[in-house]
């Protein structure tokens, strides 16, 4: 019988073995591919230190003044600001050596660093700073989300190394906002298009920064080479290769295979994978200090949460420790306050709400929500205590957290409906304050706490609307506006203390955890230190010692 | 021959209203969704939406114009094979598609080819050796093909053949070698379907009187199967393959994502999240074209296998 169909069997086995046969022929091809990447450096391979990382998306066109599809991390590592955001929110010089602020708090004079060159050899001076400000302010509407841009009245070149910015009003976060990644970073004059409007694109990414883009294949790879003429501390590695790997698990496999040397960022791999890599013993892992907060916005404007006692009951009913340990494997940190105390003005000594089921029950009883005999859900005037939590459906953290909160609230007789929607629909529901509880993250460093307060008093974003049930809402929102105009440090701290205390006592947020950046890397990668700035990266500080 | 040509031309004539309908329905449905692409852009860019920024973005994207002028403009561009400009990358959608289409098309066609090349001998062997070892193996393969999730198979292949054995590259689309694992991942489920379809068709045809007559004339099994039976039995596979071409084209996204292949699947997925209308509309249009052409190709092959199908009346209708 076999003889009869011998040809058929042999053909079939050959087809099945074809991939294996092909695999035997591929080794050289792989080598060729790798060497083609390696041959693009500026230094010989023997002395070259190359760090390969992955990113979920393409780096984009590296336009310092624009948004998507420009990736934050790439703009942040490539271009430089006048001022840097350091540890604990301390502002440190970068392209500006120093600065003066006028008595009335409206005029900022920057003394620019001398002998700084762009990668094309041109000088960094006040004229090029002015050119950058011109194009940014020409698109003021697009950048109006940043308070500083809305406040700029005029800019002026005083001399080659002195640049003046005049504001319409006092605006204390101005200095902090000079440190943001976009749009206030500087492109060399030759990189501008003919009409000078970078909103339409740039000619070439010319920077003063530590890296030069030396190779780029859209959606595949970007290679950055060390800028040998960099004015500051040069990176220890010669080359940084960024591979586009959209899938988190594929990124983990790439690290295990040795195709990449570092996984870095926020939410770039699942936290289960992070823990597995950590426990494998093959890699070093690090977790940063808090960079932003994960919280629930509590809608005081309608439903059961209009009552303070119900809001306080929520604070005591949710077991945050179990949430953070169970869902994030302890990678995120338990949050007791909406803004972490390592942020400027946020260390105001607020007393955390403890996890106390009995206290939560007592508060609900006090609010008139009692548990009828034989029922599991509390009622008031015959109406059951039912609330809705809106979360982002595809989010790997919010979904399990929503389920855990549902189970916590069940214990105190609250029926929680969890609704998972995709990001844009969730934004829509937030803007219209169409929720009882909603997952939300703060903007983090360097935007907080000032961006946080402006999102609280600005109409149309959803938070202002969710605070309409507060008896002191007008006073609170006025304080939020005032704090941005203060020039007196003591007065500013006093206002922030009052704002944070009111938000905490009124329980308008349920802080859950503090977001962190993670890093996973082999032992030969040295010198990792997380920047305080949420959108900055540590690549220029890293070394490779194999 | 003339009859076949007339048949193909008639099918092409029917394509035009189908494509026009698809463009209108996709255009209308997108604009009925409750999310404003301008806000989606701001959200992805991590910008707090203010009235000023929303209006600026809406004007930038041309969303401040009424529905009909927007649709007319897009249709006019489409007639010139210009798919417009992406809301997010600010690049020409046509250019983006031209850069990505080869990856997805190669992946889809290669998967289909692998599936057909493997499932034909597999189906024949399973039919000829009914209830023997090879048939049981095929059944097991079919069961696995139908039940193993695509993403899981992809991770398994990567883990064993790329990470552990280092036989294949893990990500990218730079050489033919990069296509082996993703194509096998996509082909696996198709092999299961096609081999079972072929087996069933063959078993039915092998019971036909003409097979008995051919065998009685002393013609060998291979000749009978190859020359007579396969022609009938393969028709369901041809239909399925025609349908699958469009499906594969639209369904490579998971595999492209896992293997980091810059095809149109990942591009489309991102555009859906971003509400990038021009990209979504273009993708739908191209997918409809592929579906229609895939079905047409299947029908033409069917007509070649059974010319009665092109006749206006008669048994084939």
């Amino acid at each position: 019988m076999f003889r009869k169909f011998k040809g058929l069997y042999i053909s079939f086995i050959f087809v099945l073995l074809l991939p294996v046969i092909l695999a035997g022929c591929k080794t050289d091809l792989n080598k060729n591919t790798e060497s083609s990447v390696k041959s693009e450096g500026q230094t010989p391979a023997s002395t070259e230190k190359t760090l390969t990382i992955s990113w979920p998306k393409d780096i984009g066109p590296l336009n310092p003044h624009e948004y998507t599809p420009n990736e934050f991390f790439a703009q942040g590592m490539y271009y430089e600001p006048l001022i840097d955001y350091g540890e604990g929110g301390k502002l440190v010089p970068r392209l500006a050596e120093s600065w003066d602020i006028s008595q009335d708090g409206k005029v900022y004079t920057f003394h620019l660093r001398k002998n700084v060159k762009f990668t094309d050899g041109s000088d960094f001076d006040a004229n090029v700073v002015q050119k950058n400000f011109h194009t940014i302010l020409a698109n003021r509407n697009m950048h109006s989300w940043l308070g500083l841009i809305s406040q700029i009245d005029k800019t002026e070149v005083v001399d080659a190394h002195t640049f003046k910015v005049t504001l319409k009003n006092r605006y204390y976060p101005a200095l902090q906002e000079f440190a943001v990644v976009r749009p206030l970073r500087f492109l060399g004059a030759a990189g501008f298009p003919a009409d000078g409007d970078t909103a339409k694109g740039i000619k070439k990414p010319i920077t003063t920064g530590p890296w030069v883009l030396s190779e780029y294949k859209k959606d595949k790879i970007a290679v950055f080479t060390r800028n040998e003429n960099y004015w500051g501390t040069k990176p220890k590695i010669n080359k940084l290769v960024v591979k586009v790997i959209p899938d988190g698990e594929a990124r983990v496999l790439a690290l295990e295979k040795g195709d990449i040397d570092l996984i870095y960022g926020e939410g770039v791999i699942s936290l289960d994978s992070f823990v597995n890599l950590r426990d494998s013993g093959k890699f070093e892992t690090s977790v940063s200090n808090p960079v932003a907060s994960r919280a629930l916005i509590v809608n005081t404007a309608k439903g059961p949460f209009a009552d303070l006692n119900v809001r306080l009951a929520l604070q005591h009913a949710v077991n945050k420790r179990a949430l953070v340990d169970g869902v994030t494997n302890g990678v995120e940190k338990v949050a007791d306050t909406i803004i972490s105390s390592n942020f400027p003005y946020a260390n105001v000594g607020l007393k955390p709400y403890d996890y106390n089921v009995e206290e939560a029950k007592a508060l609900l009883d006090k609010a008139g929500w009692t548990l009828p005999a034989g029922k599991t859900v509390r009622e008031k005037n015959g109406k059951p205590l039912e609330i809705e939590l809106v979360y982002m459906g595809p989010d790997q953290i919010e979904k399990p957290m929503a389920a855990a909160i549902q189970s916590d609230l069940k214990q105190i007789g609250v029926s929680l409906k969890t609704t998972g929607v995709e990001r844009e629909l969730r934004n829509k529901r937030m803007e219209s304050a169409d929720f009882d509880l909603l997952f939300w993250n703060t903007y983090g460093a360097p935007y907080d706490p000032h961006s946080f307060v402006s999102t609280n008093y600005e109409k149309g974003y959803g938070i202002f609307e969710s605070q309409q049930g507060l008896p002191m809402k007008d006073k609170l929102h006025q304080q939020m506006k005032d704090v941005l105009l203060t020039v007196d440090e003591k007065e500013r701290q006093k206002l922030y203390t009052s704002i944070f205390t009111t938000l905490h006592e009124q329980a308008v947020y349920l802080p859950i955890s503090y977001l962190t950046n993670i890093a996973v890397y082999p032992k030969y990668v040295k010198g990792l230190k997380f920047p305080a700035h949420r959108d900055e990266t540590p690549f220029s500080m890293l070394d490779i010692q194999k | 021959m003339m009859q076949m040509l007339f048949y193909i031309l008639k099918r092409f004539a029917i394509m035009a209203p189908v494509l026009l309908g698809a463009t209108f329905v996709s255009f209308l449905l997108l604009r009925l969704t409750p999310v404003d692409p301008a806000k989606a852009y701001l959200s992805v860019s991590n910008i707090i939406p203010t009235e000023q920024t929303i209006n600026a973005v809406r004007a930038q994207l041309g969303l401040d114009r009424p529905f009909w002028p927007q649709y007319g403009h897009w249709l006019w561009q489409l007639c010139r094979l210009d798919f417009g400009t992406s809301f997010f990358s600010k690049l020409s959608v046509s250019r983006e598609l031209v850069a990505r289409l080869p990856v997805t098309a190669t992946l889809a066609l290669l998967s289909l080819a692998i599936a057909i090349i493997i499932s034909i001998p597999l189906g024949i062997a399973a039919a000829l050796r009914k209830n023997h070892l090879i048939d049981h193996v095929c059944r097991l393969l079919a069961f696995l093909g139908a039940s193993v999730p695509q993403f899981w198979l992809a991770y398994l292949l990567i883990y064993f053949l790329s990470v552990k054995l280092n036989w294949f590259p893990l990500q990218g689309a730079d050489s033919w070698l990069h296509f082996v694992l993703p194509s096998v991942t996509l082909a696996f489920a198709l092999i299961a379907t096609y081999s079972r379809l072929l087996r069933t068709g063959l078993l039915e045809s092998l019971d036909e009187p003409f097979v008995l007559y051919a065998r009685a004339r002393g013609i060998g099994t291979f000749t009978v199967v190859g020359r007579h039976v396969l022609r009938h039995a393969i028709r369901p596979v041809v239909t399925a393959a025609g349908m699958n071409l469009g499906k594969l084209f639209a369904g490579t996204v998971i595999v492209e994502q896992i293997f980091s292949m810059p095809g149109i699947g990942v591009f489309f997925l991102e555009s859906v999240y971003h509400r990038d209308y021009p990209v979504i509309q273009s993708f739908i249009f191209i997918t409809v074209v592929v579906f229609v052409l895939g079905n047409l190709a299947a029908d033409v092959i069917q007509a070649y296998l059974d010319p009665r199908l092109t006749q206006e009346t008669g048994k084939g209708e």
Side-chain angles (χ1 to χ4, degrees), chain B residues 17-306:
Chain B
V18 169
L19 292 178
L20 187 69
T23 62
F24 181 73
V25 169
S26 65
F27 202 90
L28 181 69
L29 287 179
L30 280 176
R31 271 125 189 107
L32 289 176
T33 57
V35 175
D36 181 349
K39 287 184 180 175
Y41 177 84
L42 294 171
S43 152
V44 170
S45 297
N46 232 352
I47 299 173
I48 302 161
T50 64
E51 203 172 327
Q52 274 171 298
T53 50
I54 292 166
N55 291 338
V57 174
R58 285 184 66 80
Q60 215 179 67
L61 305 181
L63 292 165
D64 50 351
R65 291 178 302 162
F67 174 84
W68 288 108
Q70 276 189 55
Y71 179 62
H73 177 69
W74 187 71
L75 208 56
W76 173 240
Q77 281 183 314
L78 194 65
C79 292
R80 293 176 296 151
L81 284 182
D82 174 0
F83 291 110
T85 305
S86 160
F87 285 175
F88 279 75
S89 70
K90 307 284 195 301
L91 297 170
S92 148
V93 176
S94 310
R95 263 182 52 194
E96 292 262 28
L97 290 175
V98 164
R100 295 160 184 273
L101 207 55
V103 172
T104 302
T106 307
L107 199 54
L109 291 169
L110 202 60
S111 310
L112 208 55
I114 290 172
I116 290 168
I117 288 168
I118 292 180
S119 55
I120 288 176
L122 215 56
I124 294 171
L128 294 180
R129 309 286 297 131
K130 188 182 172 188
N131 292 331
H132 283 70
L133 180 66
I134 187 79
D135 191 24
H136 294 312
V137 169
C138 289
R139 195 172 288 130
L140 179 70
L141 269 177
F143 173 74
L144 289 173
S147 55
V148 171
Q150 219 171 55
F151 72 90
W152 193 64
L153 177 65
Y155 288 136
L156 281 180
L157 291 173
I158 288 176
Y159 186 73
F160 288 109
L161 300 182
S162 179
V163 176
K164 289 290 169 196
L165 297 172
N166 200 22
W167 286 359
F168 296 98
L170 196 146
Q171 76 264 328
D174 297 325
S175 70
W176 59 269
L177 210 65
H178 286 87
F179 285 88
V180 175
L181 294 186
S183 303
V184 169
T185 305
L186 284 168
F188 193 63
L190 298 181
I191 292 168
T193 310
Y194 297 173
S195 61
R196 297 312 285 172
L197 276 173
L198 190 62
R199 176 188 178 274
T200 309
L202 280 168
L203 287 174
E204 281 171 6
S205 298
L206 284 169
D207 287 340
E208 293 283 334
F210 72 86
V211 175
L212 190 67
Y213 177 66
R215 281 194 169 155
R217 285 168 55 214
I219 300 171
T221 309
F222 259 126
T223 314
V224 170
V225 170
R227 283 204 191 158
H228 304 288
V229 180
L230 199 58
R231 192 184 179 99
H232 292 274
I234 206 163
R235 279 172 51 190
V237 176
V238 171
T239 306
M243 295 286 287
N244 283 143
L245 186 63
K247 253 186 175 173
L248 272 172
F249 188 82
T252 56
V253 59
I254 294 169
V255 166
E256 282 179 13
Q257 174 102 354
I258 291 171
F259 289 95
S260 312
M261 302 181 93
I264 60 172
V266 171
F267 183 49
F268 173 65
L269 189 70
E270 276 188 7
S271 69
V272 170
Y273 287 139
H274 298 162
R275 300 298 195 280
D276 196 343
Y277 288 176
V279 177
I280 300 170
Q281 286 156 196
S282 308
F283 185 82
I284 292 171
F285 177 78
I286 290 169
T287 305
V288 171
V289 169
V290 173
F291 259 103
V292 171
L293 289 179
N295 283 342
L296 177 62
D299 289 351
V300 168
I301 295 168
Q302 294 275 26
Y304 169 77
L305 294 171
D306 185 354

Side-chain angles (χ1 to χ4, degrees), chain A residues 373-397:
Chain A
K375 290 197 176 178
T376 54
V377 177
R378 289 169 180 269
E379 290 179 3
K380 187 176 179 179
N381 305 326
K383 193 170 173 264
L385 182 46
E386 290 170 342
I387 53 175
E388 186 192 20
L389 165 60
V390 178
Y391 68 93
M392 272 196 270
D395 193 286
Q396 291 182 351
I397 306 284

Side-chain angles (χ1 to χ4, degrees), chain A residues 44-261:
Chain A
S46 56
T47 59
E48 193 178 85
K49 288 181 177 179
T50 300
L51 180 84
T52 305
I53 65 160
S54 71
W55 205 256
K57 287 180 180 175
D58 179 73
I59 59 163
L62 277 182
N63 183 334
H65 309 141
E66 282 299 301
Y67 303 94
T68 304
N70 296 278
E71 278 295 290
F72 251 119
F73 95 93
Q75 289 167 303
M77 66 173 246
Y78 199 73
Y79 293 103
E80 296 191 286
L82 292 172
I83 300 171
D84 247 345
Y85 181 90
E87 282 301 321
K90 190 170 179 286
L91 298 166
V92 291
R94 186 81 171 254
L95 287 175
E97 275 178 332
S98 61
W99 50 87
D100 306 315
I101 305 170
S102 64
Q103 202 64 39
D104 63 359
K106 288 186 187 176
V107 183
Y108 289 72
T109 306
F110 294 97
H111 305 286
L112 305 180
R113 195 175 291 280
K114 296 180 180 74
N115 304 318
V116 173
K117 299 268 184 201
F118 280 99
T119 44
D120 66 342
S122 62
D123 288 329
F124 170 77
D125 58 19
N127 290 313
V128 85
V129 172
Q130 174 81 312
K131 194 174 172 68
N132 277 268
F133 268 90
H134 264 171
T135 191
I136 292 163
L137 296 176
N139 295 290
R140 202 188 276 263
N141 280 351
M142 191 66 214
H143 307 303
S144 64
W145 64 274
L146 193 67
L148 170 65
I149 301 289
S150 309
Q151 292 294 346
I152 292 176
D153 184 30
K154 58 179 182 183
T155 59
E156 188 187 332
V157 176
V158 178
D159 60 43
H161 295 100
T162 314
F163 186 74
K164 203 183 270 187
V165 177
T166 307
L167 306 185
K168 295 170 191 165
N169 306 292
R170 286 193 311 258
Y171 181 66
Y172 103 80
L175 282 181
Q176 220 163 309
E177 291 190 359
F178 277 110
V180 302
V181 165
R182 53 196 186 194
L184 289 167
R185 298 212 172 180
F186 301 96
L187 177 74
F192 279 73
D195 64 356
D197 183 7
T198 54
K200 298 189 188 99
I202 60 169
K203 267 191 199 167
K204 212 176 167 193
I206 298 168
T207 177
T208 56
W211 301 104
V212 188
L213 183 68
S214 54
E215 192 206 340
Y216 173 59
K217 288 178 189 161
K218 192 174 178 300
D219 298 309
K220 291 178 187 172
I221 199 168
V223 181
F224 296 92
T225 311
R226 183 168 65 193
N227 176 5
E228 298 299 346
N229 300 317
Y230 183 51
W231 62 267
T233 309
K234 292 183 187 66
K236 294 185 179 79
I237 51 175
N238 309 71
K239 208 196 272 184
L240 177 73
V241 178
V242 183
K243 287 184 176 180
V244 180
I245 303 180
D247 184 72
E249 295 312 312
R251 219 168 287 137
V252 171
L253 291 165
L255 182 77
E256 287 184 336
K257 193 185 174 188
D259 281 4
I260 58 173
D261 304 308

